[in-house]
Amino acid sequence: MKPAAFDYHRPATLAEAIDLMERFGDSAAAISGGQSLVPLMNLRLSPSDQLVDVSRLAELQQTRDLGDSVFLGAGLTHAMFEDGAAPDPANGLMRQAASHIAYRAVRCHGTIGGSVAMADPAADWPAVLLALDAAALVRGPMGERRIAMDALLTGTYTTSLETGEIITGFEVPKLPADARTSYVKFNRKVGAFASSLAVAVRQGEALRLVLAGAGPRATLLAATAAAFIAGAPKTSVRNTLAGEVALIVEADDPYACALHIATILRAIEEIS
Amino acid sequence: MFVADVRLPGLQDIAFVRSGVAHGRLLSVNKPADDRERVFTIDDFDDLNVLEAGPELEAFRQSPYPALASGKVRYVGQAIAACVATTRARAEDLAERVEVEIDELPAVVDAVAAMQPGSPRLFENWADNAFIARTISAGDLNLFSASPMRLKRRFRMNRHATVSLEIRGVVAHWDARLEELVVHLSTQGGHVMRLGLARALGLPENQVRVIAPDVGGGFGGKNRLLPEEIAVCAIALKVGHPVRWIEDRREHLLASVHCRDHHYDLTVCFEPDGTLLGIEGDVHIDAGAYALWPTGSFMEASMAAGNLPGPYRMKALRVNTFTVATNKAPMGPYRGVARPGACFAIERMVDEVAQHLGIEPYEMRKRNLVKRTEMPYVTVAGLKLDTGDYHDSLDTAAKMIDISAIRRRQKERKPGEPRVGIGFAVYTEQSGHGVVEWSKRKSRVVPGYESANVRMLPDGSVNISVGVQNHGQGHETTLAQIAAHELGIDPSQIRIRYGDTATTPFGFGTFASRSIVFAGGAVGVTSRRLAEKIRLIGAHLLQAAPESVRIENGAVLSDSGSVGFGEIARAANIRQEMLPEGMEPLLEFTGTYEPKESAGVFSYGTHAVVVEVDEATGGVKILDYAVSEDCGTMINPMIVDGQVQGGISQGIGTGLYEEIPFNADGQPLATTFGEYMMPCATEIPTVRIAHSVTPALVTEYGVKGVGEGGAIAPPAALANAVADAFRDCKASFNETPLTPRRVWEAAQAAMTRMEAAAETRA
Amino acid sequence: MKMTEISVRVNGVAMKSSVEPRTSLADYVRETCGLTATHLGCEHGACGACTVLVDDVLTRSCLKFAAMCDDRHVTTLEGLANDPLTDLLRQCFHESHALQCGFCTPGMLMAARDLLRRNMTPDEITVRNALAGHICRCTGYSGIVHAILLAASRLKPDD
């Protein structure tokens, strides 16, 4: 189980990395921690034969206080969040999520930016960042742009990143102290990808409810959130939720629906 | 040092081209034009023999399994060509460039459907897809029509893999000086593998040396000769430099030995008071595409049927067994062989009957377990349960787990809280079976003895060579303990050697919970012979009468003096003039051992487990796991505990996590640890273990085997516990692994039935 | 085949090597450096047998390319032969029957050492979580968990 041959590049600057990514186009892959990409390469399931190592770029390691939000570099590892070495503007939600990603050695290398760029439908960071209404900062041949998480995630392993673009980090809004968050993951064993992941972020009358592990990408459940905030009776919230989940879950799968309903209801319970 | 750590000058790697389809006619294999000489297909070997495999029975159909596919491919992952290159990565590059053309045929993926008329067939010259079909019937068959009550259930234990953490590996080279093929092989029994390799390659056995260095787990999976292993050796004979193949995890899950895959369709007959009368029905074993040398997986069916009565008094048994060929990787033995399936079926059945009659499952077992006073008890299937107290075992486990506390907790449960359930499973584990049992099974190789060579060197230190193969069982410790006991020296003065056909006496290897009985016995009786000779020499050197001396702490003692083993060994090996008149020099004996009776001795035990089930997600969490077990005399209790805990861990894997599902085209759907769930420290609880010791009557020291027992009962105990959690709605959990989806679906179906029934009543 | 030149300090020894970019760190230490305590059990990051340290950070060596470790310090189990904490763990593994076939043990020791360096007083759940993603097929884990808790109980503040 060894990867196909590839060329390895380790640009010294972000600009150089973007040049390489643009030059090689679809055959290029950026690698930082490599904890999701390398398994695919070892299985020869990755089409890239130009590997651009961005793991040492200082720009991706930064954190900055932006006032209402915090900039978190794409190269920060899960373990940095788990250990409190990276700021958590979400009152502990990011730390909680980080500590439940895969295994310790993987968390020591896997990065928040890599996880989002990989866009696995069951991954933690896309769901958490979507629930936090974060935005990705992206640098590419045409300069920098800011993409809201909802616009970044387009499908299973796909994002709206253009050729040559690299996620440099995320702007994550600071949650007020009285905000409530919950993170409910159901998986077959500790460290396995989520069979269902529910994340809720509530600030007073604003609730963002996200489901991952269902359908092609993490999804906002706006109708359910609205029904809950409006004070709808439990059965009615549940029915709205069932309706939203049914739209996401592929084919006729009562178990999957029941599972997602269960994790979301628990996430709601925790922020009630 | 494991096989993958062996370094030889000029070593090159092999990667296999494997079938992407489950069933098809192999039309062509095109080698890359510039690298033809580094790619091998079956056509490159005209001198390889295809080994007959399976039991030596006329009725057992042969499924010729060539080292590389020939004519047809019969499962996804079957090796078609082998590519040699300087690194594994380059060998895989080469494999990608080999073009294979296959005319796809319909796949056979369900063992029961495979026996229906009109099913596609794997082997055109077979009348149907059964390797063998046999009916086992015993006892008073009239009971089946006369029984006052009966219950019919279907059980399924799904297919998984053996998953030793060290995967398979072969390093092979031709030693030009000695003119022999040296094969480093990750195996449970190098001597038997040499037999198979020599036959397949057409070499005399004295020109094949098999070395098994450290072996990183086997669990049965490394007790069969696989075609890749033959192919690698055949290539080594051709290329003139060492070659190796280190199986990768995807290959392991795709194409290494698979296990379980049992289907039961059973009816149990019983009295209104819960007394079990008999069991009848069909057992289908999905054995995959080929029988593996030497004995295939034919024991699955006969042992499953024979173990259905379990530890219970029953009067009748009638089971039709079918060992069926399907387009899946070949099945081999795996820790527990057949009994986890049989135990699952009978122990679930006991709980189903208890539920049906409104009896506490514990009581139901008390009513039917064989009593101590009935020992030895010959079960209706003909197994002679030799010694033990099954009732005491059940009682002990029940006390450890505290049934009444769980029942209280169940009563006090509020809606929305997780459900809690308790489950029991009682098992027996046959071990130490020799000639009688294996020849009854028509085994191609009859592992009826083990051997030991015990040698004291001139300085008094001891080397013992055995034919078994430690791969995690701690033989260096237990066998040294036994020899130390017989020789009156410290275990640290004894080295145990195994794993090299050039330096160890012939033996069958480590499997079937046999090593402590057979190799322990061989080391014991042979050490005793050595001790006796030491004593005689000692007496001579002390000028004392032989009957007046004894051995103690590495010396021979008389009333007036003592002589150390060092001096005695020196005399025996290098100063023969000091020996008694006419005595042969050397302190070395080779002996074999088989228990006095070779139908086997039975370890047994009770597993009791408490689970919490999340009704909304189907998730199962183990809250407590207790075992009371009896494996006869324990040579090393710490190793016994390790075997029990480790076996249970694998049983929990079978029961809750591990599965290789197949789609309708025969594509396996779990080929990495992403899809194949391996439980870790976060999933496996520490098991509480209670021992009782009823020594066996027919083995040295009263030992019984313990390797497999732990793996037998967990699926049954877990399923009973989950069912217990849903007692109020009579849900049945009859298929493993109990994934959250299966649990939820079974519970949901039961609740829907209950609601419908309530509506009908209303 | 295009090669990449790397300088890696492996167990304190400066190595200069020319490697294929696709060479994993695991294959590099095993095949190039001849350090075979690092085992390969899955090559997709799920079994933990290949765990090593890169700049003292716990690393699945099957999920790192050697090229990415240029200028780094790599420590395999061989490099911890004289490490007091590893010694203590070895002793506790021995006493607790924490290994049977031994194939997972190097990775287990790495994970255990890493945990105890971060947390000298872990409870059982913390130990089990630190071992998630480390597969042991033989022991059923209880001996390993016991060994690590035993080692923690013997740790002195200055270890």
Side-chain angles (χ1 to χ4, degrees):
Chain A
M1 206 191 276
K2 311 289 181 190
F6 57 82
D7 290 335
Y8 173 76
H9 312 271
R10 193 167 65 231
T13 65
L14 184 56
E16 220 180 295
I18 291 164
D19 278 350
L20 287 165
M21 294 293 290
E22 189 187 18
R23 171 143 55 99
F24 294 120
D26 287 346
S27 61
I31 185 167
S32 183
Q35 303 298 290
S36 303
L37 180 60
V38 178
L40 295 180
M41 295 177 74
N42 287 356
L43 291 159
R44 300 200 176 204
L45 294 174
S46 164
S48 318
D49 60 7
Q50 301 293 329
L51 207 59
V52 180
D53 183 349
V54 298
S55 65
R56 300 187 194 191
L57 297 177
E59 290 97 323
L60 307 189
Q61 307 295 327
Q62 293 169 357
T63 61
R64 279 193 305 274
D65 193 322
L66 305 172
D68 290 343
S69 63
V70 175
F71 172 83
L72 299 171
L76 300 177
T77 64
H78 315 321
M80 289 174 179
F81 290 98
E82 178 184 19
D83 298 344
D88 183 350
N91 300 347
L93 174 64
M94 294 184 75
R95 186 173 188 168
Q96 185 186 10
S99 63
H100 286 90
I101 298 173
Y103 317 117
R104 177 68 192 180
V106 170
R107 294 197 290 274
C108 287
H109 293 272
T111 63
I112 186 169
S115 165
V116 170
M118 177 64 74
D120 188 297
D124 293 79
W125 284 129
V128 169
L129 292 169
L130 179 59
L132 289 171
D133 202 11
L137 289 180
V138 168
R139 198 86 64 81
M142 311 298 286
E144 186 166 79
R145 60 181 182 130
R146 188 178 181 282
I147 314 175
M149 282 304 296
D150 204 26
L152 181 69
L153 304 170
T154 52
T156 307
Y157 298 116
T158 59
T159 64
S160 56
L161 290 179
E162 301 284 349
T163 302
E165 284 188 324
I166 291 173
I167 299 175
T168 57
F170 302 91
E171 271 179 32
V172 183
K174 288 182 186 169
L175 284 188
D178 62 350
R180 307 194 64 173
T181 64
S182 63
Y183 166 92
V184 177
K185 176 144 110 178
F186 184 81
N187 50 9
R188 290 285 312 277
K189 63 171 209 167
V190 170
F193 267 103
S195 307
S196 180
L197 171 64
V199 186
V201 175
R202 182 183 186 180
Q203 301 179 59
E205 294 304 284
L207 171 63
R208 288 176 69 86
L209 206 50
V210 171
L211 175 65
R217 47 156 283 190
T219 315
L220 268 174
L221 303 180
T224 307
F228 172 77
I229 290 298
K234 271 192 175 165
T235 49
S236 153
V237 172
R238 195 193 160 92
N239 289 342
T240 308
L241 172 59
E244 273 193 303
V245 166
L247 292 177
I248 301 169
V249 171
E250 296 159 41
D252 178 26
D253 188 343
Y255 171 67
C257 290
L259 176 65
H260 297 311
I261 290 168
T263 55
I264 289 284
L265 287 179
R266 276 169 202 178
I268 291 175
E269 181 83 27
E270 284 183 31
I271 50 87
S272 294
Chain B
M1 186 178 73
F2 296 90
V3 167
D5 306 337
V6 172
R7 297 288 175 271
L8 296 168
L11 182 66
Q12 295 203 14
D13 277 289
I14 288 177
F16 286 97
V17 177
R18 294 181 181 276
S19 176
V21 303
H23 195 192
R25 257 176 256 292
L26 193 53
L27 301 179
S28 66
V29 182
N30 295 318
K31 302 177 182 179
D34 51 341
D35 272 319
R36 296 187 62 82
E37 76 291 349
R38 295 196 291 132
V39 179
F40 297 87
T41 68
I42 195 66
D43 295 336
D44 294 307
F45 307 99
D46 42 18
D47 45 1
L48 280 182
N49 301 312
V50 175
L51 302 175
E52 289 208 344
E56 284 181 338
L57 280 169
E58 275 298 303
F60 191 90
R61 294 179 178 134
Q62 285 299 313
S63 55
Y65 194 11
L68 294 164
S70 169
K72 266 179 104 174
V73 289
R74 292 189 177 85
Y75 66 93
V76 173
Q78 183 171 359
I80 294 171
C83 304
V84 183
T86 49
T87 67
R88 171 69 184 236
R90 289 171 197 169
E92 288 183 27
D93 294 348
L94 185 52
E96 282 191 333
R97 290 165 55 218
V98 174
E99 290 168 13
V100 177
E101 229 186 321
I102 295 173
D103 177 20
E104 204 172 340
L105 296 166
V108 178
V109 292
D110 182 284
V112 179
M115 292 306 296
Q116 299 301 314
S119 166
R121 263 175 297 144
L122 271 78
F123 296 92
E124 281 76 9
N125 57 337
W126 291 15
D128 57 38
N129 280 317
F131 283 99
I132 189 166
R134 282 180 125 184
T135 296
I136 292 168
S137 59
D140 178 7
L141 301 181
N142 291 328
L143 271 176
F144 291 118
S145 47
S147 170
M149 301 185 82
R150 68 195 63 235
L151 211 60
K152 191 172 157 58
R153 290 289 182 269
R154 184 169 288 179
F155 302 100
R156 185 172 180 148
M157 180 166 280
N158 281 300
R159 176 172 280 249
H160 66 88
T162 61
V163 200
S164 50
L165 194 56
E166 182 218 15
I167 330 179
R168 281 172 176 274
V170 196
V171 176
H173 76 283
W174 180 255
D175 183 326
R177 183 178 70 84
L178 295 174
E179 295 189 312
E180 68 179 12
L181 179 72
V182 182
V183 185
H184 287 84
L185 185 67
S186 187
T187 178
Q188 294 173 228
H191 288 281
V192 174
M193 292 305 144
R194 169 169 70 174
L195 223 131
L197 280 172
R199 274 189 213 165
L201 299 166
L203 287 171
E205 283 169 35
N206 67 1
Q207 282 185 293
V208 180
R209 175 182 178 190
V210 173
I211 302 170
D214 288 325
V215 174
F219 316 110
K222 290 176 182 168
N223 203 34
R224 292 290 182 269
L225 187 59
L226 261 66
E228 290 92 340
E229 295 162 347
I230 299 169
V232 171
C233 291
I235 291 168
L237 292 174
K238 273 195 187 298
V239 295
H241 57 74
V243 288
R244 74 172 171 185
W245 167 64
I246 306 301
E247 185 179 59
D248 69 30
R249 188 55 68 182
R250 184 168 46 179
E251 291 180 291
H252 178 82
L253 293 172
L254 260 183
S256 219
V257 172
H258 283 185
C259 57
R260 312 291 191 241
D261 218 342
H262 290 201
H263 309 241
Y264 296 84
D265 242 314
L266 299 175
T267 301
V268 65
C269 300
F270 50 95
E271 305 271 11
D273 69 352
T275 303
L276 297 171
L277 296 174
I279 193 156
E280 69 171 338
D282 295 341
V283 177
H284 286 81
I285 305 295
D286 182 336
Y290 299 96
L292 297 170
W293 190 87
T295 37
S297 61
F298 79 99
M299 281 183 299
E300 291 284 329
S302 57
M303 284 175 66
N307 279 280
L308 273 176
Y312 300 111
R313 286 186 304 256
M314 281 199 213
K315 294 178 180 147
L317 178 73
R318 182 169 59 207
V319 185
N320 307 309
T321 70
F322 305 90
T323 302
V324 184
T326 61
N327 291 114
K328 301 178 187 172
M331 179 188 286
Y334 174 59
R335 198 174 195 168
V337 182
R339 287 155 297 183
C343 180
F344 180 65
I346 184 62
E347 290 296 299
R348 278 298 299 125
M349 207 55 133
V350 166
D351 271 36
E352 291 285 287
V353 173
Q355 158 103 309
H356 184 77
L357 296 173
I359 303 175
E360 184 61 67
Y362 163 81
E363 290 297 336
M364 179 76 192
R365 287 180 172 77
K366 289 292 284 183
R367 218 161 281 185
N368 289 285
L369 279 174
V370 171
K371 294 198 174 94
R372 185 174 56 84
T373 48
E374 294 169 309
M375 297 280 185
Y377 179 91
V378 179
T379 70
V380 64
L383 297 173
K384 184 175 159 190
L385 305 176
D386 53 334
T387 55
D389 189 335
Y390 298 179
H391 285 257
D392 177 65
S393 164
L394 176 62
D395 291 341
T396 304
K399 245 178 251 146
M400 289 167 84
I401 209 90
D402 197 352
I403 306 180
S404 50
I406 303 300
R407 292 283 173 250
R408 213 165 36 243
R409 196 166 156 186
Q410 287 174 326
K411 240 180 237 147
E412 289 162 6
R413 170 179 167 261
K414 295 182 190 68
E417 285 179 1
R419 288 168 174 270
V420 174
I422 184 168
F424 289 95
V426 189
Y427 72 93
T428 63
E429 172 190 12
Q430 187 181 22
S431 68
H433 36 299
V435 176
V436 166
E437 180 71 12
W438 291 96
S439 45
K440 191 172 87 190
R441 295 177 189 178
K442 301 290 177 202
S443 186
R444 200 162 281 277
V445 172
V446 174
Y449 66 91
E450 265 310 320
S451 53
N453 171 275
V454 182
R455 184 155 53 127
M456 187 170 280
L457 306 185
D459 67 351
S461 61
V462 174
N463 268 340
I464 297 179
S465 298
V466 289
V468 290
Q469 175 71 41
N470 176 45
H471 49 289
Q473 295 80 359
H475 294 159
E476 288 93 337
T477 305
T478 47
L479 297 182
Q481 279 181 266
I482 289 172
H485 169 74
E486 295 294 345
L487 292 170
I489 55 176
D490 192 82
S492 64
Q493 288 171 270
I494 299 165
R495 313 301 284 172
I496 303 290
R497 296 290 161 85
Y498 53 84
D500 186 343
T501 55
T503 60
T504 60
F506 189 90
F508 297 91
T510 291
F511 57 94
S513 308
R514 67 191 294 278
S515 294
I516 201 63
V517 174
F518 284 98
V523 167
V525 298
T526 312
S527 298
R528 223 172 281 153
R529 284 169 69 194
L530 185 72
E532 180 55 18
K533 186 166 180 180
I534 289 170
R535 209 175 59 83
L536 292 177
I537 300 170
H540 177 73
L541 293 177
L542 290 167
Q543 296 184 319
E547 58 279 7
S548 71
V549 301
R550 63 184 193 280
I551 282 177
E552 217 175 279
N553 287 334
V556 174
L557 275 62
S558 72
D559 292 341
S560 54
S562 75
V563 53
F565 280 10
E567 229 173 300
I568 294 169
R570 181 168 156 269
N573 285 285
I574 59 174
R575 293 297 297 269
Q576 309 91 63
E577 82 280 9
M578 296 163 75
L579 291 179
E581 185 72 32
M583 180 182 277
E584 271 190 46
L586 291 182
L587 284 175
E588 176 167 358
F589 289 99
T590 299
T592 64
Y593 173 78
E594 183 185 20
K596 291 190 284 239
E597 286 179 30
S598 61
V601 291
F602 286 80
S603 298
Y604 62 93
T606 304
H607 289 203
V609 61
V610 179
V611 298
E612 182 182 282
V613 188
D614 181 342
E615 201 175 313
T617 63
V620 175
K621 194 171 137 194
I622 298 172
L623 300 182
D624 192 11
Y625 206 118
V627 176
S628 95
E629 73 84 43
D630 181 351
C631 63
T633 305
M634 289 185 282
I635 301 297
N636 186 312
M638 192 184 229
I639 284 178
V640 170
D641 282 351
Q643 291 296 313
V644 172
Q645 170 79 34
I648 288 173
S649 175
Q650 294 186 355
I652 292 172
T654 305
L656 297 181
Y657 296 102
E658 298 176 47
E659 181 177 11
I660 303 178
F662 285 75
N663 72 8
D665 299 327
Q667 290 289 338
L669 304 178
T671 58
T672 71
F673 285 148
E675 303 101 18
Y676 190 96
M677 288 294 128
M678 282 296 290
C680 287
T682 33
E683 282 70 46
I684 302 294
T686 291
V687 172
R688 296 185 293 129
I689 305 169
H691 301 285
S692 31
V693 176
T694 317
L697 302 174
V698 298
T699 64
E700 284 295 320
Y701 316 109
V703 295
K704 299 178 177 183
V706 72
E708 298 174 274
I712 293 173
L718 286 162
N720 282 342
V722 173
D724 186 61
F726 288 93
R727 264 205 314 180
D728 53 345
C729 52
K730 298 191 171 160
S732 285
F733 299 87
N734 296 342
E735 181 172 356
T736 66
L738 292 158
T739 59
R741 174 183 289 275
R742 285 198 181 102
V743 169
W744 185 88
E745 285 175 351
Q748 208 62 27
M751 288 180 200
T752 310
R753 271 198 307 273
M754 204 169 65
E755 279 162 24
E759 257 171 54
T760 316
R761 276 199 300 279
Chain C
M1 200 76 58
K2 206 177 192 177
M3 306 295 268
T4 299
E5 308 302 315
I6 57 169
S7 307
V8 186
R9 198 167 271 276
V10 181
N11 297 334
V13 178
M15 300 276 297
K16 275 191 182 301
S17 312
S18 182
V19 295
E20 272 193 70
R22 62 172 159 177
T23 305
S24 70
L25 177 59
D27 281 340
Y28 177 70
V29 298
R30 286 179 51 79
E31 307 296 330
T32 308
C33 306
L35 299 167
T36 54
T38 301
H39 296 156
L40 283 171
C42 76
E43 295 180 277
H44 52 280
C47 83
C50 72
T51 305
V52 300
L53 300 172
V54 177
D55 283 354
D56 248 7
V57 174
L58 207 60
T59 303
R60 299 263 147 121
S61 62
C62 73
L63 297 187
K64 276 285 170 218
F65 295 115
M68 298 178 77
C69 301
D70 187 24
D71 295 331
R72 302 291 196 216
H73 289 247
V74 173
T75 310
T76 67
L77 191 64
E78 290 94 337
L80 297 173
N82 299 313
D83 173 59
L85 181 51
T86 311
D87 263 353
L88 171 64
L89 281 162
R90 269 195 207 97
Q91 179 60 31
C92 294
F93 268 55
H94 174 74
E95 290 175 28
S96 305
H97 191 30
L99 60 145
Q100 289 180 21
C101 82
F103 198 81
C104 73
T105 312
M108 291 288 181
L109 287 169
M110 283 288 178
R113 180 180 177 276
D114 180 71
L115 169 68
L116 293 183
R117 278 165 62 95
R118 286 182 287 121
N119 179 355
M120 287 176 62
T121 54
D123 59 12
E124 183 176 335
I125 292 172
T126 307
V127 170
R128 287 183 180 275
N129 274 318
L131 298 180
H134 286 264
I135 295 171
C136 170
R137 189 52 150 173
C138 298
T139 65
Y141 305 100
S142 63
I144 300 170
V145 172
H146 184 268
I148 296 169
L149 291 170
L150 183 63
S153 76
R154 289 183 190 168
L155 270 180
K156 291 176 197 75
D158 52 349
D159 274 347

